[in-house]
Amino acid sequence: MAFELPDLPYAYDSLGPYMSAETLEFHHDKHHNAYVVNGNKLLEESDLKGKSLEEVVAASYNGGAGGGLFNNASQHWNHIEFWQWMKPNGGGAIPGELEAKINEDLGGVDAFKQAFIQAGVTQFGSGWCWLILNNDGKLEVTKTANGVNPIALGAGTALLGCDVWEHSYYIDYRNRRPDYVEAFVENLVNWERVAEIYGNASS
Ligand code: MN3
């Protein structure tokens, strides 16, 4: 099954002032599209053609030895989710059941936000910070390098992820990655989407 670039689920100019139309045009139309185009070339030459995207990500990671196919497939998956993890007028209240779980496992919403921002800020170089439901059924804040994600690591379910590659924030925030991750958590996250993934993963 060939990879396909999904449309953004909102207008390019609808996430301002926290993420500009220019950032979304480059990030979605150029960067994400390149993962799709390059991934399809590599998929065509691989024996994973016909597998689901999740299966391609897991199989091509190969214990960390994954090459071009893994990098492009994982970044394709990461970005499909990333667009849906944001919405216009995002942030705000976290749906009750998820908020209770955050309070129980992570010491409260403020502590979660601090940990998530810290993970994004301390990811050296390109990568992602995550809120995952781990294999023990506990919430956990993690970070990964480059395109590595919880599917590759078999680390549980990704409930939320923030792209901390420079292409995600440099137009709007220059070198101020902490300000970007804070704006993501406070003003961009689509918590209904996060709660939906949590509900599916925990039921
Ligand atoms: Mn990106």
Side-chain angles (χ1 to χ4, degrees):
M1 188 166 57
F3 303 153
E4 276 181 57
L5 183 69
D7 290 334
L8 281 184
Y10 31 73
Y12 287 87
D13 62 359
S14 65
L15 299 185
Y18 307 106
M19 189 175 283
S20 66
E22 188 183 0
T23 288
L24 284 168
E25 282 161 10
F26 274 91
H27 200 173
H28 176 272
D29 300 4
K30 307 288 185 197
H31 290 277
H32 189 172
N33 189 56
Y35 299 131
V36 169
V37 170
N38 295 328
N40 277 329
K41 282 183 201 152
L42 295 162
L43 186 62
E44 195 59 35
E45 301 160 359
S46 86
D47 55 6
L48 296 172
K49 213 165 52 164
K51 303 282 188 190
S52 72
L53 176 57
E54 287 80 1
E55 288 170 327
V56 173
V57 170
S60 63
Y61 183 59
N62 194 18
L69 178 57
F70 169 72
N71 291 334
N72 286 284
S74 65
Q75 283 288 72
H76 179 41
W77 188 91
N78 292 345
H79 286 81
I80 291 171
E81 299 299 315
F82 183 58
W83 309 133
Q84 298 178 70
W85 279 322
M86 299 186 287
K87 68 170 190 179
N89 304 308
I94 299 175
E97 210 174 309
L98 177 59
E99 185 184 15
K101 182 71 170 165
I102 288 173
N103 289 337
E104 189 183 318
D105 290 353
L106 299 175
V109 170
D110 287 346
F112 153 70
K113 287 177 177 174
Q114 274 182 20
F116 190 84
I117 293 166
Q118 184 67 6
V121 168
T122 58
Q123 170 52 42
F124 187 76
S126 296
W128 294 75
C129 56
W130 305 96
L131 172 65
I132 66 171
L133 183 65
N134 72 20
N135 295 320
D136 297 326
K138 298 281 187 196
L139 296 181
E140 199 181 323
V141 173
T142 65
K143 59 187 176 182
T144 57
N146 301 318
V148 178
N149 62 27
I151 296 175
L153 300 173
T157 304
L159 304 182
L160 178 67
C162 181
D163 187 342
V164 298
W165 287 55
E166 286 185 349
H167 65 227
S168 193
Y169 61 88
Y170 224 84
I171 291 171
D172 299 325
Y173 297 87
R174 298 299 174 188
N175 60 319
R176 293 178 289 113
R177 191 193 286 188
D179 293 354
Y180 156 67
V181 184
E182 183 178 354
F184 175 86
V185 163
E186 297 290 354
N187 303 106
L188 289 172
V189 174
N190 180 349
W191 283 112
E192 289 70 33
R193 171 69 181 158
V194 178
E196 181 188 12
I197 301 170
Y198 170 65
N200 292 338
S202 60
S203 62

